[in-house]
């Protein structure tokens, strides 16, 4: 097999950047040791926190990248947000919590973390949610990093190509966690990741990494055959020892009570695929498209529910795949596990 020249790895397997805790330096290091390529999740971190994680990974490997959330402009409907805040307050009442009904917005420390990666470059930087000014991309490239843009449509791929990125991460709607769509108000549709990769490859000439719905070796092979140079896995790693997934999330992934996933804005105001639970059933229809304000709203509730083992009120990110539990029974991010995902013949 000719593994990816874009990332220069023995195996064409990429560990997704899973923000909020699941991605740890230990997981990125283990994936690199297994022959794959890991991304640290820069989302929700400060410059100093990200710098510490980079330093920890660098003690073991130089085969890794960093993902950043790119701030995007959105018009917040404050009345819709306050109505939603009042609705979600009922959930918080169960724990005696008082949620802030005033929307909180931020840029996820974008400039600080961009400056960190320009001053202390890593091999690869991937971008999610939007495209920055082309000058930011050029600055990362001058510093020595390859820059990848995450896209969800051929149109977004064309936009990314126009601003000068080196490659694309093509994410299908079966992916767990946040969709990288540039338009969080749109319907994500039902296109398969393989079909999306072929559509993007027929539109542009940039190298492609496929992401979304990867449930084992057959899917890896199909996505490589569709034109991807590597394949991203995320949900498959959530129950590894090296992942920082919360105990409540880990347990839910293997709990037969959770039988399906749903794309929801209920937890963050941006479409994200997660296990269907009570919170998504009660609030998905009313959640406004308002990221990051909705993300900040139930933060204390998420933290409290997680500590309490309350999977009904937790954001349980997971991909859509009928065989999901077969690959989540446990295990480590060690060589045999990662190589099993990559058909070498």
């Amino acid at each position: 097999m000719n593994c990816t020249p874009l990332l220069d790895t023995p195996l064409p397997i990429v560990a997704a950047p899973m923000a909020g805790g699941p991605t740890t330096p230990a997981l990125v290091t283990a994936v690199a040791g297994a022959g794959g390529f890991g991304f640290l999740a820069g989302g929700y971190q400060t410059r100093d926190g990200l710098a510490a994680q980079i330093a920890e990974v660098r003690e073991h490997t130089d085969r890794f990248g960093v993902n950043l959330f790119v701030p995007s402009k959105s018009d917040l409907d404050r009345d819709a947000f306050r109505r939603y805040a009042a609705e979600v307050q009922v959930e918080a009442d169960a724990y005696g919590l008082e949620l802030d009904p005033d929307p909180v917005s931020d840029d996820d420390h974008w400039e600080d973390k961009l400056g960190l990666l320009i001053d202390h470059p890593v091999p690869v930087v991937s971008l999610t949610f939007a495209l920055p000014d082309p000058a930011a991309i050029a600055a990362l490239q001058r510093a020595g990093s390859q820059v990848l843009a995450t896209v969800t449509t051929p149109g977004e791929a064309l936009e990314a190509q126009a601003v000068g990125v080196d490659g694309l991460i093509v994410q299908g709607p079966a992916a767990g966690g946040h969709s990288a769509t540039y338009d969080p108000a749109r319907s994500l549709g039902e296109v398969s990741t393989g079909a999306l990769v072929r559509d993007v490859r027929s539109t542009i000439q940039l190298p492609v990494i496929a992401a979304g719905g990867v449930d084992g070796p057959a899917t890896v092979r199909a996505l490589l055959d569709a034109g991807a140079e590597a394949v991203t896995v995320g949900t498959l790693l959530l129950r590894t020892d090296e992942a920082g997934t919360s105990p409540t999330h880990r347990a839910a992934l293997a709990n037969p009570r959770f039988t399906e996933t749903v794309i929801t804005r209920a937890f963050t105001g941006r479409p994200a695929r997660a296990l269907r639970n009570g919170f998504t059933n009660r609030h998905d229809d009313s959640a406004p498209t308002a990221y990051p304000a909705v993300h900040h709203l139930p933060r204390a509730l998420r933290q409290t529910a997680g500590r309490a083992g309350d999977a009904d009120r937790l954001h349980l990110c997971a991909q859509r795949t009928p065989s999901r539990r077969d690959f989540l029974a446990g295990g480590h991010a060690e060589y045999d596990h990662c190589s099993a995902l990559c058909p070498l013949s």
Side-chain angles (χ1 to χ4, degrees):
M1 174 187 292
N2 179 22
C3 287
T4 173
L6 181 63
L7 299 179
D8 190 24
T9 57
L11 295 176
I13 299 295
V14 176
M18 297 177 285
T23 290
T24 64
L27 180 61
V28 172
T29 299
V31 169
F37 190 96
F39 276 96
L40 285 171
Y44 308 140
Q45 294 206 63
T46 63
R47 174 187 171 120
D48 289 347
L50 179 58
Q53 288 200 345
I54 291 172
E56 185 174 345
V57 172
R58 276 192 167 131
E59 292 179 0
H60 305 282
T61 183
D62 59 2
R63 188 191 299 144
F64 74 101
V66 171
N67 175 257
L68 296 181
F69 291 168
V70 181
S72 56
K73 296 179 181 179
S74 62
D75 296 323
L76 176 66
D77 184 332
R78 290 181 174 268
D79 290 337
F81 177 84
R82 290 193 177 100
R83 287 194 298 271
Y84 189 63
E87 180 180 317
V88 174
Q89 179 61 50
V90 177
E91 304 281 353
D93 289 342
Y95 290 105
L97 300 172
E98 187 70 30
L99 303 184
D100 186 352
D102 293 321
V104 175
S105 186
D106 64 54
D107 66 357
D108 198 45
H109 307 288
W110 162 255
E111 292 292 345
D112 288 343
K113 289 183 285 194
L114 177 64
L116 169 68
L117 296 178
I118 291 172
D119 294 340
H120 305 281
V122 298
V124 183
V125 176
S126 66
L127 306 170
T128 300
F129 294 162
L131 293 170
D133 188 288
I137 295 171
L140 289 167
Q141 291 167 331
R142 285 195 301 271
S145 299
Q146 291 195 90
V147 180
L148 311 180
T150 312
V151 301
T152 62
T153 66
E156 290 175 355
L158 285 170
E159 292 182 52
Q161 179 175 254
V163 296
V165 298
D166 299 294
L168 303 175
I169 299 171
V170 176
Q171 183 199 54
H178 276 122
S179 168
T181 178
Y182 298 170
D183 178 9
R186 77 174 179 90
S187 172
L188 299 184
E190 295 291 333
V191 63
S192 72
T193 302
L196 183 59
V197 167
R198 286 189 290 272
D199 286 346
V200 169
R201 292 282 293 161
S202 70
T203 303
I204 55 103
Q205 297 301 312
L206 291 174
V208 162
I209 298 169
V214 180
D215 57 2
T219 303
V220 172
R221 166 50 63 195
L223 292 173
L224 295 175
D225 289 345
E229 294 193 354
V231 176
T232 298
V233 296
T235 302
L236 296 185
L237 301 176
L238 283 173
R239 281 172 56 88
T240 59
D241 290 347
E242 296 86 354
T245 315
S246 74
T248 304
H249 193 172
R250 285 175 182 267
L253 287 164
N255 188 335
R257 178 168 78 87
F258 298 101
T259 60
E260 61 181 308
T261 63
V262 60
I263 294 175
T264 181
R265 293 172 176 79
F267 287 99
T268 69
R270 173 177 261 280
R273 186 174 291 282
L275 299 181
R276 181 187 291 278
N277 62 4
F279 196 95
T280 63
N281 288 338
R282 292 187 290 270
H283 304 297
D284 186 51
D285 289 343
S286 54
T289 301
Y291 178 88
V294 172
H295 162 74
H296 290 298
L297 173 67
R299 174 181 292 170
L301 174 60
R302 290 194 303 268
Q303 293 170 344
T304 303
R307 289 192 295 268
D310 182 0
D312 213 41
R313 293 185 173 94
L314 201 62
H315 194 185
L316 304 169
C317 295
Q319 70 184 22
R320 182 182 64 190
T321 167
S323 56
R324 173 173 52 82
R325 244 170 245 106
D326 295 339
F327 293 91
L328 288 170
H332 307 264
E334 58 193 16
Y335 183 80
D336 288 343
H337 177 70
C338 286
S339 63
L341 289 172
C342 177
L344 296 177
S345 58

